[in-house]
Amino acid sequence: MKKAMEDFDYLVPESNAAWLDGRGDGRFERYERFYQSERAVDAAGFDLERTNEGYKEWASRQPSRLLSLVSAPWFGRVAIVFFCLYMGCPLVPGLAKAMPEATGAMLVAVFIGLRIFHRRRRKKN
């Protein structure tokens, strides 16, 4: 008796079946957004073949995910915070041993300055 072969291709996230099912690395979601936007522009004269060729060009012009992540505004803010922590952690205790009153006054001034800065930004928005 001959066994029926089963297609387990859908279990692999990088497979075409998984891609068409909408699972995997997000390529299908990007294609679906592009497809829906193209179809919304001209529903009556929609041409799938032309849209697929246009997707190839559109996708090649899009920046990589890593580049998009690194160029996001929040990434820069987080990097600055970690850099300040990295520099401040050894610096503040050393200054506090040498000049405790001056270090305390400096920290109070920095915290007050940050509060004023954030309050002004909130008022602008």
Side-chain angles (χ1 to χ4, degrees):
M1 191 159 119
K2 188 175 181 180
K3 280 183 148 181
M5 291 195 58
E6 293 186 44
D7 182 16
F8 291 107
D9 194 31
Y10 69 93
L11 295 174
V12 181
E14 293 82 22
S15 71
N16 290 336
W19 188 81
L20 289 172
D21 195 31
R23 293 179 285 118
D25 60 2
R27 290 178 291 169
F28 179 79
E29 289 81 7
R30 285 194 310 261
Y31 172 77
E32 186 67 22
R33 283 193 305 268
F34 177 79
Y35 170 81
Q36 294 297 339
S37 66
E38 289 293 311
R39 189 170 176 128
V41 169
D42 186 20
F46 180 74
D47 182 14
L48 183 60
E49 185 175 338
R50 187 172 43 96
T51 300
N52 287 339
E53 290 170 2
Y55 176 72
K56 179 182 175 187
E57 295 168 11
W58 177 82
S60 66
R61 289 191 313 259
Q62 300 302 311
S64 70
R65 285 186 182 180
L66 180 62
L67 183 62
S68 297
L69 177 74
V70 171
S71 65
W74 64 267
F75 186 84
R77 291 182 186 125
V78 169
I80 289 171
V81 166
F82 281 127
F83 180 73
C84 290
L85 286 173
Y86 173 76
M87 295 303 289
C89 285
L91 183 68
V92 171
L95 285 174
K97 285 181 185 175
M99 302 177 288
E101 294 85 14
T103 306
M106 179 191 65
L107 288 175
V108 168
V110 167
F111 289 130
I112 291 173
L114 285 172
R115 293 294 298 162
I116 292 170
F117 174 74
H118 286 292
R119 185 170 290 147
R120 285 184 182 167
R121 284 191 67 189
R122 274 191 232 135
K123 286 182 180 179
K124 285 182 182 179
N125 294 334

